[in-house]
Amino acid sequence: MKDRIDSTTARRAPARGVLGLSTLLPLLFAAYLVHAESSGGATTACTPAESAKFVCGIVNSEDLVRLPKTHWVISSGKPGPEVPVGHLFLINIDNKAAEPFYPLAHNQYRLDQKLFGSCPGKPDENKFDAEGINVRPIGNGKFTLYVINHAGRESTEIFEIDTRDEKPAITWIGCVLTPPMPQSDQPSLGNAVVPLPNDAFAISINPAAGLKHTMDTATAATVKPANDPNFVEKMFNGQIMGFVMLWSPGTGWQVVPGSEMAGSNGIEASPDGQWLYVDALLEPGIYRLSLGRTPVDRAVIKTTFHPDNIRWGDDGFLYVTGPGLTGPELMKAAIACAHSTSRQVCPVPFKVFRIDPRTLQSEELVNEPGGPSFGLATGVAKIGNELWLSSVRGTRLAVYPLNDAATAPRTERN
């Protein structure tokens, strides 16, 4: 399937007793995972479906990313019914075993004063809500992990991951608080993050007033309601824009020129940092934006689905996934899932597209109706000859095989 291309220029709660909550947290969470996968009969058993296999032990995973040239995947995790604290998860690609990675009682903290000296301190381990994530290889088996966090504070949390031992170790090294919306100075929510050269990174943001349902209760209570009673509807109709913001050491936040779009979402960058690829969830479409050019070179692929997250494959292509619903149906399903008191999946249709970054041509790889085992795919990663998909609601990742034609590599990236 080809899409049209348009171009323009342009809780740490008080805990007392023998064990503190930070010690009990991993034990309680592990018990929850066992309960979630063993109760409910066939709908939660980790057995393959007709078209996909599953990686279980993951809770409410909005996004996922592979640590390049390793056999490890990191997945984000959000709070939800019976899950008061979100987590990062560590997955072994070889045996598809998953386990909580952060926060745990043995996690380490070491603030990088040079890069993140303005960070007010380490995150509250009992108020963590991980959304978009991404990694930067820094050599010698180490990586910098960037995590959009919605609980306790709106921030990008930064970690160092060391894979040199048998099992990776994670150390928190800093944070950058999410900036307000440009021009209006109203609170914003970060969605996705991508590293850029010289220790910079970019995030997609949208107005917090329209997305309070995605935040933890305490943080959402600090967001003043919009004066316009139709604010949420206008946002979903594309009348209120999201943006991309770029942070660099010593400079702070700047708006990326030409980045205004409806529902700024998943984001990736070319290896040289000269191009951004940004999902506009609500338009729907995928933008390619130049960095450092005047005027901005801006092109958009108009898609037949709502693109959520985007990720480079090791073949030089970009992979994009998101819900297959359109218009008012998407809004209704998103709010229903956000307010559901069930830990079961949201049986929402989803798609996966592959994009050639040079031609901006796209090809549909997965088109699924969603069901009791998996639905509402929000994150994607190409792992060998498989597509791994995450979902913001559920206790698993879905793994789809790629056919031979879909695994043919490109020789270069834009």
Side-chain angles (χ1 to χ4, degrees):
M1 177 184 294
K2 305 294 183 183
D3 280 315
R4 179 170 59 88
I5 301 173
D6 295 332
S7 295
T8 60
T9 310
R11 232 128 70 211
R12 179 158 295 188
R16 298 293 182 265
V18 178
L19 293 177
L21 185 53
S22 62
T23 303
L24 285 172
L25 182 60
L27 303 176
L28 295 172
F29 194 71
Y32 164 77
L33 292 178
V34 171
H35 175 69
E37 288 301 334
S38 60
S39 64
T43 60
T44 55
C46 199
T47 54
E50 183 177 348
S51 58
K53 296 179 292 185
F54 301 108
V55 177
C56 293
I58 307 295
V59 180
N60 301 338
S61 173
E62 204 276 341
D63 200 7
L64 74 166
V65 64
R66 182 179 187 174
L67 302 181
K69 299 181 180 180
T70 77
H71 57 278
W72 300 104
V73 167
I74 306 296
S75 175
S76 64
K78 298 176 67 61
E82 301 182 33
V83 187
V85 182
H87 277 68
L88 299 173
F89 297 90
L90 177 69
I91 306 108
N92 186 312
I93 293 172
D94 299 334
N95 60 17
K96 294 182 171 56
E99 60 186 283
F101 196 36
Y102 177 90
L104 296 174
H106 60 265
N107 290 142
Q108 301 297 309
Y109 297 86
R110 186 190 71 246
L111 177 62
D112 186 332
Q113 288 283 355
K114 182 178 179 181
L115 288 177
F116 310 114
S118 62
C119 175
K122 69 177 186 178
D124 186 335
E125 293 178 351
N126 302 304
K127 293 180 180 178
F128 193 67
D129 180 350
E131 187 139 341
I133 60 176
N134 216 324
V135 296
R136 181 202 306 273
I138 55 177
N140 197 26
K142 294 183 177 181
F143 302 84
T144 303
L145 175 71
Y146 299 82
V147 181
I148 299 293
N149 173 42
H150 293 313
R153 62 191 181 198
E154 284 296 321
S155 58
T156 303
E157 303 293 336
I158 299 96
F159 301 82
E160 180 183 278
I161 298 180
D162 189 339
T163 65
R164 292 176 296 176
D165 291 336
E166 182 178 353
K167 183 175 289 188
I170 184 170
T171 302
W172 176 89
I173 60 171
C175 74
V176 180
L177 300 184
T178 305
M181 293 299 297
Q183 302 172 347
S184 70
D185 234 19
Q186 295 298 308
S188 72
L189 292 183
N191 188 289
V193 58
V194 62
L196 293 167
N198 302 315
D199 294 313
F201 64 88
I203 68 171
S204 55
I205 65 170
N206 293 284
L211 298 169
K212 293 176 64 174
H213 62 278
T214 70
M215 307 166 70
D216 76 299
T217 303
T219 308
T222 68
V223 178
K224 295 180 180 179
N227 294 327
D228 187 343
N230 300 315
F231 186 91
V232 174
E233 182 179 353
K234 287 182 177 180
M235 184 173 169
F236 275 79
N237 287 336
Q239 297 172 255
I240 296 175
M241 296 290 100
F243 293 86
V244 175
M245 303 291 292
L246 191 155
W247 182 90
S248 55
T251 302
W253 290 108
Q254 295 178 307
V255 182
V256 173
S259 67
E260 60 276 2
M261 63 188 72
S264 177
N265 211 289
I267 184 170
E268 271 287 17
S270 58
D272 59 11
Q274 295 186 14
W275 297 93
L276 292 178
Y277 301 87
V278 190
D279 294 342
L281 179 73
L282 303 179
E283 294 200 18
I286 303 162
Y287 282 89
R288 184 185 66 183
L289 303 174
S290 62
L291 288 177
R293 294 189 185 187
T294 304
V296 176
D297 188 339
R298 171 173 157 131
V300 60
I301 309 169
K302 292 295 186 180
T303 62
T304 56
F305 72 113
H306 291 269
D308 195 325
N309 279 306
I310 185 169
R311 187 73 71 207
W312 282 111
D314 56 8
D315 53 4
F317 289 94
L318 288 158
Y319 291 81
V320 184
T321 191
L325 299 178
T326 58
E329 291 181 333
L330 173 62
M331 182 178 178
K332 182 187 297 184
I335 293 177
C337 287
H339 290 288
S340 172
T341 59
S342 169
R343 64 171 177 262
Q344 300 301 323
V345 304
C346 288
V348 173
F350 57 91
K351 296 183 179 182
V352 178
F353 272 41
R354 184 179 70 173
I355 297 174
D356 187 323
R358 181 180 54 187
T359 65
L360 299 188
Q361 295 297 310
S362 64
E363 176 187 6
E364 182 180 284
L365 302 179
V366 176
N367 187 344
E368 291 285 330
S373 295
F374 187 87
L376 188 63
T378 52
V380 59
K382 179 184 178 294
I383 311 293
N385 294 334
E386 297 175 327
L387 287 177
W388 289 33
L389 304 181
S390 63
S391 176
V392 73
R393 178 56 61 85
T395 57
R396 64 191 60 202
L397 306 177
V399 179
Y400 288 83
L402 277 170
N403 60 40
D404 292 339
T407 58
R410 266 184 27 82
T411 56
E412 60 183 272
R413 294 186 195 170
N414 233 6

